[in-house]
Amino acid sequence: MNSMQRLELRQGQSLVMTPQLLQSIKLLQLSHLELAAYVEAELERNPLLQEAEGRSAAARASPAKPSAASEPTTPRIVPRPTPAPSPTAASGASVRTSGAAASELGADLEATLARSVSLAEHLETQLDLATADPQARAIGQHLIHSLNEAGYLTDDVAEIATRLQVAPQQVEGMVALIQSFDPPGIGARNLSECLSLQLKERNRLDPAMEILLGRLDLVAKRDFATLRRLCGVDEEDLADMLAEIRRLEPKPGLAFAPTRVDVLIPDVWVRPAPEGGFIVELNPDTLPRILLDRSYYTRVAQSVRNATDKNFLSECLQSASWLTRSLDQRAQTILKVATEIVRQQEGFFREGVAALRPLTLKDVAEKIDMHESTVSRVVANKAVGTARGSIAMKYFFTVGLGQAGHSAEAVRHRIKQLVAAEMPGAVLSDDAIAQKLKVDGIEIARRTVAKYREILQIPSSADRRRMRKFQAGRV
């Protein structure tokens, strides 16, 4: 058997994901807040990037010569110091001081500002006062840091005992201790236990209330007749018991969670055009304000002699050029996708949810000659500002139902309308809703109606009938 070595040339195609291409893909799917943080880091790292203030969105996207006042007097390859925030940009700042007085004032302010205490810190302080036993404290600290944001213990006690290599009774004892801490209801395993702890702290946990808390499923169904029978109380007593439960805190841990306000800031604005149709515009407030400072690069390039500095300067120029181009491309891509979404969903912008039509990422991608994955990245974490408020871009993509091609969101909206229009004595079953939808040209099965009704958190027809009787005073 002869063995030979041969040299062969083969031609083929492959996609090479360069670091810059990967970064471009990353930029495309970032929200405007994530993008702002990324650009801020680049401004700190790259001395050739400059923040452009008071410039239009178009000017920000192209390189421009900065003002002389912003340039350093001596060329150096070092990041420029971050300018101090203006009084209008800093929340609560009305005056500016300078020198040592500013440092002393800042130190004094930081010392006097009250820092919010976390739930874990609040409970650990009480744990230190409750026990001096090292093992008990270790178990207690583990339990405290196992609580979720609402203050509930979701881990199984037996699993915790195995994890800590202690007896389950020891863990149970520490759970009981933590449940005696403030706020009342903390460390509960479920809603019933959480409410029971709060009522026990108020000395209001009587046998009737215990039975009521054990059947919260009946409370959700508003089956008040069964509850009165089980608790052995009359209608007035049951109403008082339910009112007392409503005054309790179902998620005691949230009082210590940092307040988070999720504001959906639009990346594009949509408004009616005077001649008809709609105008789609980028929101300038979400566009980064950065420029490539070429004049600074020229001056520094003339002064450097060290090879290391030259390489660093070259890399900074390449990185800054790429970033400014990528940001412009990102903005134009978002605008292109948003414009096609508005064109496809024009009925929604004119008439509302009922006119929302089925739309897929592929539909948009084919119309604007982009890859489906690119459209997917664009709509992620982006929003559209409309006369109806800010709406996530993903909202406009929904599957079609039936031969007429109604969107799932439009069908859910129609179900909501039908239920809202029910008369007290004529509550619609899921079958009846399906029949009414069929009259509207929407042919879906009863089980689909039930699924959408659950998504909308609409009770069943039996529960709605019982609820309306109660509201009418016929419990």
Side-chain angles (χ1 to χ4, degrees):
M1 184 175 181
N2 296 329
S3 61
M4 297 177 59
Q5 291 184 342
R6 294 185 304 174
L7 179 64
E8 293 184 353
L9 295 178
R10 295 183 181 180
Q11 187 175 7
Q13 291 183 337
S14 62
L15 177 63
V16 179
M17 298 290 285
T18 64
Q20 290 188 342
L21 179 58
L22 290 171
Q23 286 294 81
S24 297
I25 293 173
K26 176 184 176 182
L27 288 182
L28 196 58
Q29 63 191 17
L30 294 179
S31 68
H32 75 275
L33 291 176
E34 293 168 334
L35 181 65
Y38 176 84
V39 169
E40 184 67 26
E42 288 298 305
L43 284 168
E44 292 287 338
R45 187 188 67 83
N46 194 330
L48 300 184
L49 287 173
Q50 176 185 4
E51 187 171 10
E53 298 181 359
R55 300 177 60 85
S56 64
R60 295 176 201 137
S62 60
K65 183 178 180 179
S67 62
S70 65
E71 298 176 357
T73 57
T74 305
R76 292 184 301 163
I77 309 179
V78 293
R80 295 195 183 98
T82 304
S86 64
T88 56
S91 174
S94 58
V95 296
R96 294 178 67 182
T97 59
S98 61
S103 301
E104 293 172 4
L105 177 60
D108 290 340
L109 286 174
E110 288 182 358
T112 55
L113 286 176
R115 186 176 68 87
S116 57
V117 178
S118 68
L119 175 63
E121 291 171 334
H122 180 68
L123 295 176
E124 284 176 341
T125 299
Q126 298 175 73
L127 178 65
D128 291 341
L129 297 174
T131 178
D133 181 75
Q135 187 179 50
R137 284 190 177 185
I139 298 172
Q141 289 206 358
H142 182 88
L143 291 172
I144 287 171
H145 289 278
S146 297
L147 302 180
N148 63 18
E149 189 181 48
Y152 284 79
L153 180 63
T154 57
D155 293 350
D156 183 71
V157 167
E159 292 179 0
I160 295 174
T162 302
R163 196 181 309 148
L164 299 180
Q165 296 182 336
V166 296
Q169 294 82 357
Q170 290 178 279
V171 178
E172 282 286 1
M174 290 308 300
V175 169
L177 178 63
I178 291 172
Q179 288 179 348
S180 68
F181 291 171
D182 177 79
I186 204 71
R189 270 66 69 90
N190 51 57
L191 177 60
S192 177
E193 186 176 30
C194 179
L195 300 179
S196 296
L197 291 170
Q198 295 178 56
L199 290 171
K200 185 183 295 183
E201 196 266 343
R202 300 182 183 189
N203 198 26
R204 282 288 297 119
L205 190 62
D206 54 38
M209 189 66 83
E210 287 183 339
I211 295 173
L212 178 63
L213 294 177
R215 295 307 308 266
L216 292 178
D217 58 319
L218 297 178
V219 176
K221 293 179 180 179
R222 295 181 180 271
D223 190 353
F224 302 116
T226 303
L227 285 172
R228 288 198 304 270
R229 177 174 54 79
L230 291 175
C231 297
V233 297
D234 58 22
E235 183 177 334
E236 184 178 355
D237 287 340
L238 180 61
D240 290 341
M241 292 166 68
L242 293 173
E244 188 164 11
I245 288 178
R246 293 190 189 100
R247 290 192 292 269
L248 302 176
E249 176 51 66
K251 298 179 179 180
L254 293 185
F256 294 84
T259 302
R260 179 178 174 179
V261 180
D262 292 324
V263 180
L264 199 60
I265 299 176
D267 297 85
V268 294
W269 293 104
V270 179
R271 56 185 176 86
E275 65 278 5
F278 292 88
I279 298 174
V280 183
E281 300 172 313
L282 290 167
N283 181 2
D285 293 337
T286 62
L287 299 178
R289 302 176 174 90
I290 65 167
L291 300 171
L292 168 58
D293 192 343
R294 293 187 181 275
S295 62
Y296 180 60
Y297 166 76
T298 301
R299 297 205 337 267
V300 173
Q302 293 172 350
S303 65
V304 296
R305 298 291 182 266
N306 185 286
T308 302
D309 287 349
K310 286 183 178 180
N311 290 336
F312 173 72
L313 187 62
S314 177
E315 290 174 3
C316 287
L317 177 63
Q318 184 180 7
S319 176
S321 300
W322 164 81
L323 183 58
T324 53
R325 289 196 305 269
S326 295
L327 290 175
D328 180 63
Q329 184 180 5
R330 176 184 182 273
Q332 296 307 317
T333 304
I334 291 174
L335 183 61
K336 192 173 183 179
V337 171
T339 301
E340 181 60 26
I341 291 174
V342 173
R343 192 187 70 80
Q344 297 266 10
Q345 298 288 12
E346 188 170 341
F348 167 85
F349 292 96
R350 294 190 185 281
E351 305 170 28
V353 181
L356 195 66
R357 54 168 297 201
L359 184 65
T360 65
L361 296 171
K362 186 178 180 181
D363 294 336
V364 172
E366 290 177 348
K367 289 292 183 181
I368 61 178
D369 195 24
M370 283 186 183
H371 196 275
E372 188 175 338
S373 62
T374 302
V375 177
S376 176
R377 292 186 179 96
V378 170
V379 302
N381 308 311
K382 312 295 189 306
V384 177
T386 75
R388 305 175 190 277
S390 296
I391 302 172
M393 279 193 186
K394 285 186 176 182
Y395 174 85
F396 297 99
F397 294 88
T398 178
V399 296
L401 295 174
Q403 296 179 348
H406 298 276
S407 76
E409 188 64 35
V411 174
R412 288 194 287 267
H413 178 72
R414 180 60 181 144
I415 292 174
K416 193 174 180 179
Q417 286 182 324
L418 290 172
V419 172
E422 286 176 340
M423 300 299 291
V427 175
L428 298 173
S429 64
D430 292 341
D431 279 322
I433 292 176
Q435 291 301 317
K436 285 187 174 290
L437 291 174
K438 187 175 182 180
V439 173
D440 294 340
I442 306 172
E443 294 198 25
I444 60 175
R446 180 203 63 79
R447 62 179 178 274
T448 305
V449 172
K451 182 180 73 173
Y452 285 175
R453 177 177 52 75
E454 291 172 359
I455 291 174
L456 294 169
Q457 296 185 340
I458 297 175
S460 66
S461 57
D463 290 340
R464 298 200 306 277
R465 192 176 297 109
R466 192 178 298 113
M467 187 188 312
R468 282 171 168 73
K469 286 182 179 180
F470 174 75
Q471 292 170 346
R474 299 194 299 270
V475 184

